[in-house]
Amino acid sequence: MPVHRYPQEVHDFVKKWSPKLRDEDLAEACNRELGTHFTAQSMKAFRGNHGYRNGKKQWTKEEYWKYQKKYPQGMYEFVRDNSWGVSSREMAEMVNEKFGTSFTQTMMKQFRQRHGIKSGCTGWYQKGHPPGTKGRKQEDYIKDPEALARAKATRFKKGDRPANELPIGAVVVNSVGHKLRKKQMEGSLWERWEFLHRAVWEEHNGPIPEGMVIIFKDNDKLNCDIENLMLVTKGESCTLTMLGYRFEDSDLTQAGLGVVRLKQAAAKKKKKGKKV
């Protein structure tokens, strides 16, 4: 099979301009100047065969939109320049009408997210924005008498409490397996609820010192008996977990705590000796 050989002037041209031009532009320039018939792919193969390196590895945004084939030319600029205050659904309709594409609302949302194009449309009320029904009575915007009657029947009356509201003293288990006890009816979440194991400890021993935590000797978060609770530092608790010294046997957990404290004391003494 005969080998196609290019004249030296083609080699010289490609060698000179390959560090400065993309394969697409280099092929176009070489064809124009020397009458060759390179495509971008054949130019890439020619450079690779002869060791002519292309110094431009990463496309700029302008170069990407010039050479990409997935979207119509000019579409990116159109979306970029017309997106502010326009929803994804509206923008998809505008693009489909102008470029003959078939974008859906979801596809347009993803397109703008990928290319960092913001619309300013958050989909929720901004801080300070008055609700649409502010200062209006239900009768002003619910015109159907039956719908209005159903709405009135479900209104909370002053002093009403939710039917499923738990009383003071109720105990529940949260998502991570700790027991919570309700201590009052009003206030924020942590004004109304308390961790049962912490509350039991404080009932017997007073406030928990800062930097200390309560752990379970048998590693059972549901066993909040005072005999199963142990006061340790946050560092000791972390080390117990890291070394796997939390056991179902409470005696083993206490022995593990002793080992942790011995290790920490030895490390502290060693560090102090180095400073001296």
Side-chain angles (χ1 to χ4, degrees):
M1 182 176 180
V3 178
H4 185 77
R5 297 185 181 277
Y6 289 97
Q8 186 60 40
E9 60 183 358
V10 173
H11 287 264
D12 294 340
F13 185 91
V14 173
K15 185 176 181 180
K16 176 182 178 181
W17 292 103
S18 62
K20 303 175 183 178
L21 298 174
R22 302 271 181 209
D23 289 330
E24 294 84 350
D25 296 328
L26 183 58
E28 182 180 342
C30 189
N31 295 341
R32 184 176 59 249
E33 294 294 327
L34 303 176
T36 54
H37 302 282
F38 281 108
T39 64
Q41 289 182 335
S42 62
M43 177 56 72
K44 180 179 179 181
F46 177 79
R47 287 192 306 98
N49 291 336
H50 297 285
Y52 303 140
R53 294 188 176 278
N54 184 339
K56 298 177 76 64
K57 295 297 182 184
Q58 187 172 355
W59 278 357
T60 63
K61 185 174 289 187
E62 292 73 18
E63 289 172 326
Y64 171 79
W65 288 109
K66 178 180 178 181
Y67 296 118
Q68 63 83 31
K69 306 296 183 184
K70 185 176 181 180
Y71 303 107
Q73 288 295 324
M75 194 194 88
Y76 165 77
E77 291 79 4
F78 179 82
V79 176
R80 179 195 64 194
D81 297 339
N82 295 281
S83 269
W84 194 257
V86 180
S87 69
S88 295
R89 179 182 58 79
E90 294 170 329
M91 179 54 65
E93 292 174 355
M94 292 165 60
V95 168
N96 292 341
E97 182 178 351
K98 184 174 179 63
F99 296 97
T101 52
S102 55
F103 272 92
T104 64
Q105 177 180 345
T106 301
M107 291 166 63
M108 179 53 65
K109 179 180 179 181
Q110 293 171 344
F111 177 87
R112 295 201 291 194
Q113 287 176 340
R114 281 197 304 271
H115 300 291
I117 302 174
K118 297 186 180 297
S119 67
C121 300
T122 61
W124 59 79
Y125 281 114
Q126 301 301 311
K127 186 176 182 179
H129 190 290
T133 57
K134 184 177 181 180
R136 301 172 64 192
K137 295 182 178 180
Q138 277 189 330
E139 291 80 357
D140 297 333
Y141 54 89
I142 300 181
K143 302 302 182 183
D144 183 355
E146 293 184 2
L148 183 61
R150 290 195 300 270
K152 286 183 177 180
T154 60
R155 292 177 187 172
F156 276 109
K157 307 294 188 298
K158 188 174 182 179
D160 281 356
R161 310 294 299 190
N164 61 347
E165 186 176 47
L166 295 173
I168 293 175
V171 176
V172 298
V173 179
N174 69 4
S175 59
V176 294
H178 283 109
K179 284 185 176 180
L180 300 177
R181 182 172 66 186
K182 194 167 189 178
K183 59 181 180 178
Q184 63 184 48
M185 301 298 289
E186 306 297 336
S188 65
L189 174 65
W190 295 115
E191 289 173 338
R192 290 180 286 120
W193 294 88
E194 61 186 352
F195 283 104
L196 182 59
H197 64 286
R198 292 176 60 88
V200 169
W201 175 271
E202 291 182 335
E203 288 167 4
H204 287 79
N205 300 286
I208 298 172
E210 186 176 353
M212 307 292 283
V213 293
I214 306 300
I215 66 171
F216 305 89
K217 294 179 182 179
D218 65 358
N219 204 28
D220 181 3
K221 297 176 184 177
L222 300 180
N223 184 1
C224 297
D225 187 275
I226 186 61
E227 298 299 326
N228 190 49
L229 304 178
M230 189 160 50
L231 181 71
V232 299
T233 66
K234 291 181 179 179
E236 290 168 346
S237 178
C238 289
T239 306
L240 279 170
T241 301
M242 182 178 65
L243 297 179
Y245 286 172
R246 293 179 184 268
F247 303 98
E248 294 181 2
D249 187 320
S250 59
D251 291 336
L252 288 177
T253 302
Q254 289 180 287
L257 178 61
V259 173
V260 167
R261 287 175 173 171
L262 183 62
K263 285 177 176 288
Q264 290 180 342
K268 186 176 181 180
K269 188 172 183 180
K270 185 177 180 181
K271 185 176 180 180
K272 186 176 180 181
K274 285 184 178 180
K275 289 183 179 180
V276 175

